[in-house]
Amino acid sequence: MCTLEKRGNLFILTLTGEDQHRFNPDLISSLLDLLSQVKAQATSGSVLITLAQGKFFSYGFDLDWAQAAGSERGAAKRLQDMADLFKPVIATLLSLPMPTIAAITGHAVAAGFTLALSHDYLIMRKDRGILWMPEVDIAVTLPDYINALFKEKIGDSSVRRDLFLRGLKMKGDEAEKRGVVKAAYDGEAEVREASVCLAENLGKRKWHSEVYAEIRKGLYPQLSAILGLSHKVYAIARL
Amino acid sequence: MCSLEKRGNLFILILTGQNGEHRLNPNLFSSIISALSRAKAESTRGSALVTVSHGKFFCNGFDLDWVNAAGSDEETQQRFNLLLDYLKQLVLAFISLPMPTIAAVNGHAAAGGVVLALCHDYVLMRRHRSVLYMIDLDLGIKIPEPFMALFRAKISGSARRDLLLRGLKIKGEEALKMGIVEAVYDGEEEVTNSGIEMADDLAKRNWHGEFYVEIRKGLYSELCDILGIASKAIATPKL
């Protein structure tokens, strides 16, 4: 499922196993649990890296589990339930009191792409893996918080249009060129190395955890409102 | 005026008349809106629409001759307001069209004509002999809100400022660089044919129109809220 490791100031959240890391209620619950642990142990200089084993970062919601409901209505309800359960994961990441990095070493699709995009920095493979929002191809609509996330994180309207209305499968070098990811590297090891390097550089800044989270929320006001994240005003006496 | 042609899965909306500037007056507006209703009524899975025009102009904006032919200052203002109303209905009709849309801009587009082009999901343009010009600033005309929301939705960053606040006549290559258009072509025939080809490619994706339109509305949520057509989740996805 997923594990949490602490290495000095680094929190490493891993989606384990060679499977597609599809989000079903169990995995979502585990993720939420681990993220709460990260939040509880946060200090100045903490950084989170999320990574995944195998060929997939995550392929999104567990459609097999949804269809196992037995009927079209049942499947739709299960999908809606997962979308509702997933929202707090995004909310927790958006309010996590430390910088966050998604080390994308495999395909990040639908809710998997959403999870990655909920991090402050995305680092991806150039040689393998795609970012893809297949909703237009599989005929489902997107929940409001996912629309808001993409709108506020990706400034370029042509990119958002290509991802949502064209179902574009975006590879690493295009993602880097068009500003969807921070950087793309050849090879899994290079992506992990670059993520750890970035994490160490960010951690060295020893930022005030709560202030970091508040500034981040301020960057994404619409999304924060939809996720029900309140805003705290901090006054610091000494500059 | 305009005509609607059907070629397999494609709807081709043609702004007719070689000599005209295809200025928007109540007749042309009604004609286009009714063509769009027809396309909507006859749409199926895998439909697509491309808008083309003939002559030196794509669309040179409102028919100001018609506006100024009014008997009094009051009536002039009323006529202008009526055209604004029609333009809003036009935007609404395009945003609600359950299929991908492409504008093949063969010639100059100004003010309302730029709005018309931007109503489409994709804009292709002629490299030479074609400019996009938001003449409103130079004429001292304000741009009312639903159209500002369209610009905010479709154009990002400094491109938006340059389009609206600099009175620039934007040629093909520049429009491409600014991210306003997808591609530029030499010659009217080439841009028209490329528009039809692109529509064909998108039609082949065989998207379900009712989902396509909801994803589009979610993508342009601010605009749709202002137009009063918020996106809705469709309860039964076609998994």
Side-chain angles (χ1 to χ4, degrees):
Chain A
M1 285 261 115
C2 55
T3 59
L4 181 65
E5 195 192 314
K6 192 153 192 281
R7 243 187 262 170
N9 272 340
L10 285 190
F11 290 94
I12 301 174
L13 176 64
T14 308
L15 296 164
T16 54
E18 301 294 311
D19 61 310
Q20 292 185 345
H21 312 131
R22 292 255 186 186
F23 299 129
N24 53 36
D26 286 337
L27 179 53
I28 295 173
S29 230
S30 299
L31 273 175
L32 255 181
D33 189 44
L34 294 182
L35 285 172
S36 311
Q37 288 180 39
V38 172
K39 185 173 180 178
Q41 300 171 52
T43 60
S44 166
S46 296
V47 180
L48 170 78
I49 300 178
T50 300
L51 41 84
Q53 293 171 343
K55 289 197 348 219
F56 300 89
F57 183 76
S58 166
Y59 226 71
F61 291 143
D62 192 342
L63 300 180
D64 286 344
W65 180 79
Q67 281 174 316
S71 69
E72 210 180 79
R73 284 247 133 220
K77 172 142 200 319
R78 284 195 173 188
L79 251 193
Q80 184 59 54
D81 287 346
M82 283 192 285
D84 291 339
L85 283 171
F86 195 60
K87 193 169 162 178
V89 173
I90 308 305
T92 307
L93 278 168
L94 251 292
S95 52
L96 207 68
M98 66 186 70
T100 58
I101 301 166
I104 306 162
T105 48
H107 305 302
V109 177
F113 186 178
T114 303
L115 180 71
L117 195 62
S118 304
H119 292 68
D120 297 323
Y121 302 92
L122 278 66
I123 298 184
M124 188 176 169
R125 263 180 95 156
K126 216 184 273 196
D127 56 330
R128 287 225 192 129
I130 52 160
L131 303 175
W132 183 30
M133 291 304 277
E135 282 75 4
V136 70
D137 290 328
I138 59 174
V140 300
T141 52
L142 289 151
D144 58 356
Y145 67 92
I146 295 187
N147 277 324
L149 175 74
F150 277 78
K151 179 162 184 194
E152 291 192 312
K153 288 268 192 163
I154 298 177
D156 190 327
S157 37
S158 305
V159 174
R160 292 197 310 269
R161 187 259 338 257
D162 284 348
L163 288 172
F164 279 34
L165 286 185
R166 219 198 297 223
L168 178 67
K169 290 176 182 172
M170 197 178 264
K171 290 196 186 142
D173 43 19
E174 187 180 356
E176 185 184 54
K177 201 164 65 153
R178 298 180 83 181
V180 178
V181 305
K182 179 181 193 295
Y185 298 90
D186 283 311
E188 184 179 309
E190 283 74 3
V191 168
R192 295 195 184 197
E193 213 179 286
S195 303
V196 170
C197 191
L198 175 62
E200 283 169 355
N201 285 333
L202 295 171
K204 274 191 203 124
R205 305 291 294 273
K206 294 261 178 240
W207 287 314
H208 188 292
S209 309
E210 294 294 327
V211 172
Y212 188 88
E214 288 308 309
I215 294 176
R216 185 204 282 121
K217 284 190 274 180
L219 273 181
Y220 312 117
Q222 255 177 47
L223 174 62
S224 298
I226 290 175
L227 294 173
L229 301 174
S230 60
H231 217 7
K232 281 181 270 205
V233 177
Y234 274 87
I236 297 180
R238 236 177 336 146
L239 281 174
Chain B
M1 284 284 106
C2 86
S3 63
L4 185 70
E5 204 183 293
K6 190 143 196 282
R7 241 186 257 182
N9 270 345
L10 295 192
F11 292 96
I12 304 176
L13 177 67
I14 309 169
L15 301 173
T16 52
Q18 269 290 344
N19 294 318
E21 296 183 7
H22 310 128
R23 288 251 180 191
L24 297 160
N25 55 31
N27 283 339
L28 182 53
F29 268 125
S30 302
S31 191
I32 298 174
I33 291 168
S34 114
L36 292 174
S37 300
R38 257 188 62 203
K40 186 171 182 178
E42 296 173 26
S43 69
T44 58
R45 255 190 98 167
S47 292
L49 178 124
V50 54
T51 301
V52 306
S53 88
H54 298 311
K56 272 169 61 176
F57 294 89
F58 178 72
C59 170
N60 220 23
F62 284 176
D63 187 346
L64 296 178
D65 286 345
W66 176 78
V67 171
N68 290 321
S72 64
D73 279 350
E74 203 193 317
E75 219 208 301
T76 301
Q77 187 61 59
Q78 274 172 17
R79 285 193 176 194
F80 191 77
N81 291 341
L82 181 63
L83 294 185
L84 283 175
D85 242 359
Y86 267 117
L87 188 61
K88 184 173 168 183
Q89 281 180 55
L90 186 81
V91 174
L92 218 151
F94 268 106
I95 299 290
S96 318
L97 201 66
M99 65 186 76
T101 56
I102 301 163
V105 176
N106 61 293
H108 306 303
V114 176
V115 172
L116 172 61
L118 289 177
C119 281
H120 296 71
D121 296 325
Y122 304 91
V123 182
L124 307 179
M125 190 172 166
R126 214 173 142 176
R127 183 177 273 115
H128 304 295
R129 307 246 183 112
S130 178
V131 299
L132 304 177
Y133 180 24
M134 281 306 290
I135 192 178
D136 309 60
L137 179 61
D138 287 336
L139 289 184
I141 299 176
K142 287 193 282 194
I143 303 171
E145 199 30 75
F147 315 114
M148 286 303 291
L150 178 71
F151 292 114
R152 288 195 297 271
K154 299 275 188 147
I155 305 179
S156 350
S158 55
R160 205 190 299 154
R161 174 208 58 208
D162 285 349
L163 178 67
L164 299 173
L165 280 184
R166 283 178 77 174
L168 282 180
K169 291 181 180 163
I170 301 168
K171 290 190 188 151
E173 292 287 0
E174 197 56 36
L176 181 65
K177 250 189 262 161
M178 287 165 78
I180 300 175
V181 309
E182 277 306 286
V184 289
Y185 300 91
D186 292 309
E188 182 179 315
E189 219 181 289
E190 225 197 300
V191 74
T192 302
N193 290 338
S194 303
I196 292 173
E197 218 177 280
M198 185 180 195
D200 228 353
D201 286 339
L202 294 174
K204 284 199 180 99
R205 300 289 292 272
N206 217 20
W207 290 316
H208 288 275
E210 66 268 39
F211 289 90
Y212 187 87
V213 74
E214 291 309 316
I215 292 174
R216 183 201 281 130
K217 288 198 274 180
L219 187 59
Y220 304 129
S221 55
E222 195 215 347
L223 172 64
C224 291
D225 282 343
I226 292 175
L227 293 173
I229 50 165
S231 71
K232 56 179 195 278
I234 300 181
T236 43
K238 300 187 180 347
L239 289 174

mmCIF file of all heavy atoms in Angstrom, chain B residues 98-121:
data_model
loop_
_atom_site.group_PDB
_atom_site.id
_atom_site.type_symbol
_atom_site.label_atom_id
_atom_site.label_comp_id
_atom_site.label_asym_id
_atom_site.label_seq_id
_atom_site.Cartn_x
_atom_site.Cartn_y
_atom_site.Cartn_z
ATOM 1 N N PRO B 98 -21.974 20.624 -27.455
ATOM 2 C CA PRO B 98 -21.433 19.339 -26.985
ATOM 3 C C PRO B 98 -20.511 18.651 -27.991
ATOM 4 O O PRO B 98 -20.750 17.506 -28.402
ATOM 5 C CB PRO B 98 -22.708 18.513 -26.734
ATOM 6 C CG PRO B 98 -23.709 19.048 -27.696
ATOM 7 C CD PRO B 98 -23.393 20.505 -27.885
ATOM 8 N N MET B 99 -19.467 19.347 -28.357
ATOM 9 C CA MET B 99 -18.468 18.802 -29.291
ATOM 10 C C MET B 99 -17.272 19.752 -29.345
ATOM 11 O O MET B 99 -17.421 20.933 -29.013
ATOM 12 C CB MET B 99 -19.074 18.678 -30.698
ATOM 13 C CG MET B 99 -19.437 20.008 -31.334
ATOM 14 S SD MET B 99 -20.314 19.858 -32.908
ATOM 15 C CE MET B 99 -21.956 19.399 -32.356
ATOM 16 N N PRO B 100 -16.090 19.249 -29.733
ATOM 17 C CA PRO B 100 -14.938 20.152 -29.870
ATOM 18 C C PRO B 100 -15.170 21.160 -30.994
ATOM 19 O O PRO B 100 -15.825 20.839 -31.992
ATOM 20 C CB PRO B 100 -13.777 19.217 -30.221
ATOM 21 C CG PRO B 100 -14.327 17.859 -30.316
ATOM 22 C CD PRO B 100 -15.757 17.847 -29.991
ATOM 23 N N THR B 101 -14.637 22.373 -30.822
ATOM 24 C CA THR B 101 -14.847 23.441 -31.796
ATOM 25 C C THR B 101 -13.516 24.066 -32.193
ATOM 26 O O THR B 101 -12.621 24.223 -31.366
ATOM 27 C CB THR B 101 -15.755 24.542 -31.207
ATOM 28 O OG1 THR B 101 -15.161 25.012 -30.001
ATOM 29 C CG2 THR B 101 -17.149 24.017 -30.910
ATOM 30 N N ILE B 102 -13.411 24.427 -33.462
ATOM 31 C CA ILE B 102 -12.187 25.024 -33.996
ATOM 32 C C ILE B 102 -12.555 26.246 -34.825
ATOM 33 O O ILE B 102 -13.495 26.188 -35.618
ATOM 34 C CB ILE B 102 -11.461 24.036 -34.924
ATOM 35 C CG1 ILE B 102 -11.109 22.771 -34.158
ATOM 36 C CG2 ILE B 102 -10.213 24.652 -35.541
ATOM 37 C CD1 ILE B 102 -10.779 21.616 -35.073
ATOM 38 N N ALA B 103 -11.799 27.333 -34.650
ATOM 39 C CA ALA B 103 -11.991 28.506 -35.495
ATOM 40 C C ALA B 103 -10.806 28.556 -36.461
ATOM 41 O O ALA B 103 -9.658 28.551 -36.026
ATOM 42 C CB ALA B 103 -12.043 29.773 -34.651
ATOM 43 N N ALA B 104 -11.106 28.600 -37.758
ATOM 44 C CA ALA B 104 -10.042 28.731 -38.756
ATOM 45 C C ALA B 104 -10.066 30.192 -39.203
ATOM 46 O O ALA B 104 -10.870 30.592 -40.035
ATOM 47 C CB ALA B 104 -10.303 27.798 -39.922
ATOM 48 N N VAL B 105 -9.176 30.998 -38.600
ATOM 49 C CA VAL B 105 -9.205 32.444 -38.825
ATOM 50 C C VAL B 105 -8.402 32.784 -40.071
ATOM 51 O O VAL B 105 -7.184 32.813 -40.049
ATOM 52 C CB VAL B 105 -8.676 33.181 -37.573
ATOM 53 C CG1 VAL B 105 -8.593 34.681 -37.801
ATOM 54 C CG2 VAL B 105 -9.556 32.878 -36.366
ATOM 55 N N ASN B 106 -9.137 33.029 -41.167
ATOM 56 C CA ASN B 106 -8.525 33.242 -42.480
ATOM 57 C C ASN B 106 -8.120 34.685 -42.717
ATOM 58 O O ASN B 106 -7.364 34.981 -43.641
ATOM 59 C CB ASN B 106 -9.526 32.869 -43.567
ATOM 60 C CG ASN B 106 -10.750 33.760 -43.451
ATOM 61 O OD1 ASN B 106 -11.493 33.671 -42.471
ATOM 62 N ND2 ASN B 106 -10.956 34.653 -44.400
ATOM 63 N N GLY B 107 -8.675 35.612 -41.902
ATOM 64 C CA GLY B 107 -8.436 37.034 -42.155
ATOM 65 C C GLY B 107 -8.539 37.804 -40.855
ATOM 66 O O GLY B 107 -8.484 37.229 -39.775
ATOM 67 N N HIS B 108 -8.728 39.099 -40.966
ATOM 68 C CA HIS B 108 -8.721 39.952 -39.773
ATOM 69 C C HIS B 108 -9.900 39.684 -38.853
ATOM 70 O O HIS B 108 -11.012 39.426 -39.308
ATOM 71 C CB HIS B 108 -8.742 41.426 -40.182
ATOM 72 C CG HIS B 108 -7.640 41.779 -41.125
ATOM 73 N ND1 HIS B 108 -6.310 41.581 -40.826
ATOM 74 C CD2 HIS B 108 -7.677 42.314 -42.384
ATOM 75 C CE1 HIS B 108 -5.566 41.977 -41.862
ATOM 76 N NE2 HIS B 108 -6.367 42.430 -42.814
ATOM 77 N N ALA B 109 -9.611 39.768 -37.578
ATOM 78 C CA ALA B 109 -10.655 39.655 -36.565
ATOM 79 C C ALA B 109 -10.483 40.806 -35.592
ATOM 80 O O ALA B 109 -9.383 41.042 -35.091
ATOM 81 C CB ALA B 109 -10.565 38.322 -35.837
ATOM 82 N N ALA B 110 -11.570 41.530 -35.330
ATOM 83 C CA ALA B 110 -11.487 42.660 -34.406
ATOM 84 C C ALA B 110 -12.626 42.604 -33.403
ATOM 85 O O ALA B 110 -13.742 42.200 -33.729
ATOM 86 C CB ALA B 110 -11.538 43.977 -35.177
ATOM 87 N N ALA B 111 -12.343 43.025 -32.197
ATOM 88 C CA ALA B 111 -13.339 43.152 -31.119
ATOM 89 C C ALA B 111 -14.231 41.915 -31.023
ATOM 90 O O ALA B 111 -13.749 40.837 -30.707
ATOM 91 C CB ALA B 111 -14.144 44.431 -31.307
ATOM 92 N N GLY B 112 -15.524 42.080 -31.311
ATOM 93 C CA GLY B 112 -16.455 40.941 -31.250
ATOM 94 C C GLY B 112 -15.988 39.761 -32.088
ATOM 95 O O GLY B 112 -16.288 38.607 -31.776
ATOM 96 N N GLY B 113 -15.253 40.038 -33.152
ATOM 97 C CA GLY B 113 -14.704 38.983 -33.997
ATOM 98 C C GLY B 113 -13.641 38.174 -33.276
ATOM 99 O O GLY B 113 -13.522 36.964 -33.473
ATOM 100 N N VAL B 114 -12.854 38.833 -32.422
ATOM 101 C CA VAL B 114 -11.860 38.132 -31.603
ATOM 102 C C VAL B 114 -12.596 37.260 -30.577
ATOM 103 O O VAL B 114 -12.234 36.111 -30.341
ATOM 104 C CB VAL B 114 -10.910 39.117 -30.889
ATOM 105 C CG1 VAL B 114 -9.945 38.381 -29.970
ATOM 106 C CG2 VAL B 114 -10.142 39.946 -31.901
ATOM 107 N N VAL B 115 -13.661 37.836 -30.014
ATOM 108 C CA VAL B 115 -14.482 37.060 -29.062
ATOM 109 C C VAL B 115 -15.027 35.820 -29.753
ATOM 110 O O VAL B 115 -14.958 34.706 -29.218
ATOM 111 C CB VAL B 115 -15.631 37.920 -28.489
ATOM 112 C CG1 VAL B 115 -16.597 37.071 -27.669
ATOM 113 C CG2 VAL B 115 -15.084 39.051 -27.632
ATOM 114 N N LEU B 116 -15.534 36.000 -30.966
ATOM 115 C CA LEU B 116 -16.064 34.865 -31.728
ATOM 116 C C LEU B 116 -15.006 33.778 -31.892
ATOM 117 O O LEU B 116 -15.251 32.601 -31.650
ATOM 118 C CB LEU B 116 -16.560 35.337 -33.099
ATOM 119 C CG LEU B 116 -16.973 34.254 -34.102
ATOM 120 C CD1 LEU B 116 -18.143 33.424 -33.559
ATOM 121 C CD2 LEU B 116 -17.364 34.881 -35.448
ATOM 122 N N ALA B 117 -13.807 34.181 -32.289
ATOM 123 C CA ALA B 117 -12.726 33.207 -32.456
ATOM 124 C C ALA B 117 -12.428 32.493 -31.143
ATOM 125 O O ALA B 117 -12.336 31.267 -31.085
ATOM 126 C CB ALA B 117 -11.467 33.896 -32.983
ATOM 127 N N LEU B 118 -12.322 33.267 -30.069
ATOM 128 C CA LEU B 118 -11.945 32.694 -28.767
ATOM 129 C C LEU B 118 -13.033 31.849 -28.134
ATOM 130 O O LEU B 118 -12.780 31.129 -27.170
ATOM 131 C CB LEU B 118 -11.519 33.799 -27.795
ATOM 132 C CG LEU B 118 -10.185 34.454 -28.113
ATOM 133 C CD1 LEU B 118 -9.890 35.575 -27.132
ATOM 134 C CD2 LEU B 118 -9.046 33.439 -28.074
ATOM 135 N N CYS B 119 -14.251 31.918 -28.659
ATOM 136 C CA CYS B 119 -15.324 31.044 -28.177
ATOM 137 C C CYS B 119 -15.018 29.591 -28.495
ATOM 138 O O CYS B 119 -15.598 28.694 -27.888
ATOM 139 C CB CYS B 119 -16.653 31.372 -28.869
ATOM 140 S SG CYS B 119 -17.462 32.797 -28.185
ATOM 141 N N HIS B 120 -14.138 29.369 -29.478
ATOM 142 C CA HIS B 120 -13.842 28.008 -29.907
ATOM 143 C C HIS B 120 -12.772 27.381 -29.019
ATOM 144 O O HIS B 120 -11.970 28.080 -28.414
ATOM 145 C CB HIS B 120 -13.355 28.003 -31.356
ATOM 146 C CG HIS B 120 -14.379 28.471 -32.344
ATOM 147 N ND1 HIS B 120 -14.770 29.794 -32.440
ATOM 148 C CD2 HIS B 120 -15.107 27.803 -33.274
ATOM 149 C CE1 HIS B 120 -15.688 29.917 -33.391
ATOM 150 N NE2 HIS B 120 -15.909 28.732 -33.909
ATOM 151 N N ASP B 121 -12.752 26.033 -28.943
ATOM 152 C CA ASP B 121 -11.752 25.354 -28.120
ATOM 153 C C ASP B 121 -10.349 25.572 -28.689
ATOM 154 O O ASP B 121 -9.385 25.674 -27.949
ATOM 155 C CB ASP B 121 -12.039 23.849 -28.056
ATOM 156 C CG ASP B 121 -13.364 23.546 -27.367
ATOM 157 O OD1 ASP B 121 -13.716 24.274 -26.413
ATOM 158 O OD2 ASP B 121 -14.058 22.605 -27.787
#
